[in-house]
Amino acid sequence: MSQDMSILSLILNASFVVQAVMLLLMVVSVASWAAIFRKLFALKKVHALNEEFERDFWSGSNLNELYAAATQNAKSAGPMERIFASGMREYQKLRERRISDAGTLMDGARRAMRASFQREMDVVETNLSFLASVGSVSPYVGLFGTVWGIMHAFTGLASMTQVTLATVAPGIAEALVATAIGLFAAIPAVVAYNRFARDIDRTAIRLETFIEEFSNILQRNVATQSP
């Protein structure tokens, strides 16, 4: 009589430890896919908001008008707009204190924008470390389940007087399912991590470029307003 070698049957007939490993990996896989979709939509939104603000910024709009709009729409603003607002806020505060030294004004505005940049990057990089952990750890967790399953299978065979391939195969197949599930969890996480890391690096470069360009604009304003 042939044994049922379907994936479902192998999972149901596996030992408790192997089943626990499989369940853990399935939960991690679901959480990983949820994180992937959240990050995908979040990065698309960040890109769209940065594009929109950059168009407005370079369209020749007045800086004070852009700052007023950024302050009013702080909750729905993108990273670039919030960085701009931080720099303008610090710049205006220093001007209100009648500070006219160009170096002090520029240092204050740059520090404010760099601090805002770090906060924005922390938000953008959310869940990235989770995907990295899933991609690096899941195969080893699956391998642990496989090793345990094979040990359990051979322990059960020790009491048998005659061992054939038909008696060995089910136990080994059950154990190998754990490795397969581990790879199923790890591969999408690794691919997504590499893709998101590349996109985030591009976003960071774009924001740093904007900080430098906006700093140059503020420096020209300081030069023209100096007595």
Side-chain angles (χ1 to χ4, degrees):
M1 184 177 178
S2 62
Q3 296 185 6
D4 185 2
M5 297 289 287
S6 65
I7 299 296
L8 180 59
S9 176
L10 293 175
I11 293 174
L12 294 177
N13 292 326
S15 66
F16 173 76
V17 174
V18 177
Q19 286 181 339
V21 168
M22 292 177 183
L23 179 61
L24 174 63
L25 289 172
M26 288 177 182
V27 171
V28 168
S29 179
V30 171
S32 174
W33 277 106
I36 288 171
F37 282 113
R38 282 199 305 269
K39 180 58 64 180
L40 183 64
F41 293 136
L43 289 178
K44 282 187 176 181
K45 183 178 180 181
V46 165
H47 180 73
L49 290 173
N50 286 343
E51 285 277 357
E52 182 181 357
F53 176 74
E54 202 165 20
R55 282 197 302 269
D56 293 339
F57 183 83
W58 295 111
S59 65
S61 300
N62 184 274
L63 292 180
N64 291 325
E65 293 176 357
L66 285 173
Y67 175 60
T71 304
Q72 186 176 2
N73 304 321
K75 292 184 179 180
S76 59
M80 188 177 291
E81 190 171 3
R82 283 192 286 265
I83 290 172
F84 162 79
S86 298
M88 278 295 293
R89 187 182 304 112
E90 186 65 21
Y91 176 79
Q92 290 187 351
K93 283 181 180 178
L94 294 175
R95 295 291 294 184
E96 288 171 0
R97 295 176 188 173
R98 301 184 183 279
I99 295 175
S100 57
D101 179 65
T104 303
L105 289 170
M106 295 310 304
D107 286 345
R110 279 201 182 96
R111 281 198 301 270
M113 286 191 287
R114 294 301 303 181
S116 180
F117 168 79
Q118 291 299 329
R119 288 194 298 270
E120 296 298 332
M121 293 308 301
D122 287 341
V123 173
V124 170
E125 291 174 355
T126 304
N127 291 330
L128 205 61
S129 59
F130 171 71
L131 293 177
S133 299
V134 171
S136 60
V137 174
S138 293
Y140 295 104
V141 175
L143 183 60
F144 166 75
T146 296
V147 172
W148 187 278
I150 291 176
M151 289 170 56
H152 182 267
F154 278 105
T155 301
L157 294 173
S159 59
M160 294 184 180
T161 57
Q162 184 177 3
V163 178
T164 64
L165 182 60
T167 57
V168 176
I172 296 178
E174 292 166 7
L176 290 174
V177 171
T179 296
I181 297 176
L183 293 174
F184 178 77
I187 292 172
V190 171
V191 173
Y193 173 83
N194 291 333
R195 162 73 186 277
F196 294 150
R198 185 174 66 252
D199 291 345
I200 289 172
D201 285 343
R202 289 176 179 174
T203 299
I205 292 172
R206 188 174 186 179
L207 293 177
E208 288 178 328
T209 302
F210 172 78
I211 290 174
E212 294 303 318
E213 291 173 337
F214 181 47
S215 297
N216 291 336
I217 293 173
L218 287 179
Q219 194 164 16
R220 288 196 294 270
N221 287 347
V222 172
T224 56
Q225 293 176 10
S226 297

